[in-house]
Amino acid sequence: MKKFCFLIALLISFVFSSFAQERPREKGIVFGVLPTGVLNAITDVSGVKVGHLTKIEGENIRTGVTAILPHNGNIFQQKVPAAIYVGNGFGKLAGTTQVQELGNIETPIILTNTLSVAAGIEGVVRYSLAQEGNENAQSVNALVGETNDGYLNDIRGMHISPAEVIGAIESAKTGKVAEGNVGAGTGTVCFGWKGGIGTSSRKLPESLGGFTVGVLVQTNFGGNLQIDGVAVGEKMGKYPFRDAMEKSDGSCMIVVATDAPVLERNLERMAKRAMMGLAKTGGIASNGSGDYVIAFSTAEGLRIPHSSENGALESVEYLRNDDMSGLFMAVIEATEEAIINSLFAAQSMEGSEGHSVLQLPIDQVMNLMKQN
């Protein structure tokens, strides 16, 4: 019981510390020109919910689960249009082919560690089968992504269970989203510093439709860190390939949500722009990096019912190609800021086999920003 109470207290402290730490924008670093949503989070897109399961036990377990729900209803019965873009495919994003083939998502989106993808699939399937209205379902396309947290976490122990995945889904809520060392970002490393979960949003002006775009990232990749155009990694002497022995592998999962009425073809175009946001932070999508973007629309008029009358024709309203540019810019800006938010929120961590990763030295970064 004492160990359990200690674990709960530790988890609570991580959640509250992630909120207590100032984000870059609060320190005067502004990314792009578009305004953010109220929370500057993916949950600014109405109906989107996020849940974290953070697992920190003993000296070696540093991992977790993050669940993103496109809406509050039965997603299997009311699917949402969606698309996937592969920036670099050294990774495991389960469920991709059905999304690409049918253009929709029918379950919560799960992010976790590489060797817990199977647990993620089982958890999502069990959760979906248990939902009222899904009693006759015999096929569920679980969408589960990952990054490898094996430097800080005993990844081979496969410490995430399907029940914990269900717990993350059931804990999902609207409102503020915890960032940094939480959920699927618990054991991640980014640009050589502690990575984690980050999120951001953009609100288009009414002249461009007034739509909202939200992004959530799980950062675990490398490159030459840049913050608002300042080559922070280079100036701090922390960048890849300084000699022939260094590398810059890792992965980034990016989830893009919007309330704009956009179908799968243009959602894929939005997803592609997320990689431009990653590039602005200095990420290079290296050979060993699994960089995937999942994009979906919450527009109610575009929901896809699980069952419909045979031969029935569908009639929907959606944005023209000519009206997409504002959304493209919103994705780029929100992705860039979400990644940097994850670094500012993350805290130093010790983990498996005595490995340790330091948090981004914020004071030093701010001094560099002021010099430019």
Side-chain angles (χ1 to χ4, degrees):
M1 176 60 88
K2 288 183 179 180
K3 181 179 179 181
F4 177 77
C5 292
F6 172 76
L7 175 60
I8 294 298
L10 188 60
L11 298 188
I12 291 173
S13 70
F14 268 96
V15 170
F16 277 94
S17 65
S18 65
F19 284 134
Q21 200 156 345
E22 283 189 314
R23 301 170 98 185
R25 188 169 288 267
E26 294 168 345
K27 290 182 173 292
I29 304 175
V30 178
F31 302 88
V33 297
L34 294 172
T36 70
V38 174
L39 299 172
N40 193 14
I42 194 171
T43 47
D44 283 321
V45 179
S46 180
V48 175
K49 300 166 70 175
V50 176
H52 295 305
L53 183 286
T54 302
K55 192 162 189 177
I56 301 173
E57 294 180 359
E59 297 179 353
N60 297 318
I61 301 176
R62 306 286 187 270
T63 193
V65 179
T66 295
I68 302 98
L69 280 63
H71 61 75
N72 195 41
N74 186 326
I75 304 168
F76 185 82
Q77 294 296 329
Q78 290 293 317
K79 311 174 199 301
V80 297
I84 291 168
Y85 180 70
V86 182
N88 192 71
F90 197 104
K92 293 84 187 163
L93 177 54
T96 56
T97 55
Q98 184 168 313
V99 176
Q100 291 171 327
E101 186 73 17
L102 301 183
N104 61 60
I105 291 173
E106 64 183 21
T107 68
I109 300 164
I110 298 297
L111 306 180
T112 186
N113 74 66
T114 306
L115 296 187
S116 292
V117 170
I121 294 171
E122 183 175 347
V124 169
V125 170
R126 289 188 179 279
Y127 169 83
S128 298
L129 293 180
Q131 283 189 290
E132 184 177 354
N134 296 349
E135 292 82 6
N136 296 322
Q138 295 187 356
S139 174
V140 177
N141 186 51
L143 191 58
V144 183
E146 53 78 30
T147 71
N148 192 312
D149 58 15
Y151 186 73
L152 288 170
N153 174 51
D154 171 29
I155 193 169
R156 288 173 58 89
M158 302 172 67
H159 298 288
I160 295 298
S161 69
E164 288 170 324
V165 175
I166 294 172
I169 297 171
E170 292 179 339
S171 74
K173 63 184 188 307
T174 58
K176 286 186 177 180
V177 177
E179 299 178 299
N181 303 5
V182 295
T186 300
T188 62
V189 182
C190 189
F191 293 111
W193 285 286
K194 185 66 187 71
I197 295 294
T199 188
S200 183
S201 69
R202 292 296 184 272
K203 175 79 171 177
L204 294 187
E206 292 302 321
S207 61
L208 295 178
F211 303 116
T212 299
V213 172
V215 173
L216 182 143
V217 296
Q218 176 193 16
T219 61
N220 193 50
F221 63 97
N224 182 10
L225 175 62
Q226 298 184 42
I227 300 179
D228 195 24
V230 178
V232 171
E234 182 179 351
K235 291 177 181 296
M236 297 176 71
K238 199 177 185 72
Y239 57 93
F241 311 121
R242 286 174 299 177
D243 60 60
M245 297 301 295
E246 296 195 40
K247 62 179 183 177
S248 183
D249 287 340
S251 301
C252 189
M253 288 297 309
I254 305 172
V255 179
V256 177
T258 184
D259 57 7
V262 182
L263 290 177
E264 60 271 19
R265 181 178 56 80
N266 272 324
L267 283 169
E268 183 179 3
R269 297 177 75 204
M270 290 176 66
K272 291 177 181 178
R273 271 63 180 187
M275 290 300 297
M276 298 172 70
L278 182 146
K280 291 187 71 175
T281 69
I284 62 172
S286 62
N287 176 69
S289 190
D291 305 304
Y292 296 89
V293 189
I294 304 166
F296 63 86
S297 170
T298 64
E300 291 192 23
L302 300 184
R303 301 272 169 87
I304 303 103
H306 179 64
S307 300
S308 59
E309 183 181 347
N310 289 337
L313 298 179
E314 294 182 346
S315 177
V316 296
E317 294 183 344
Y318 54 91
L319 288 182
R320 304 175 308 150
N321 294 336
D322 289 346
D323 294 323
M324 291 299 300
S325 294
L327 294 171
F328 294 162
M329 179 178 284
V331 171
I332 295 168
E333 291 187 6
T335 301
E336 178 187 14
E337 185 164 1
I339 290 169
I340 304 303
N341 282 347
S342 77
L343 285 163
F344 269 62
Q347 297 181 334
S348 300
M349 177 175 282
E350 294 183 1
S352 180
E353 299 182 357
H355 294 157
S356 64
V357 179
L358 297 178
Q359 66 195 55
L360 185 70
I362 304 299
D363 290 342
Q364 189 175 350
V365 168
M366 295 307 300
N367 286 335
L368 291 173
M369 301 300 294
K370 292 174 184 176
Q371 294 170 16
N372 288 268

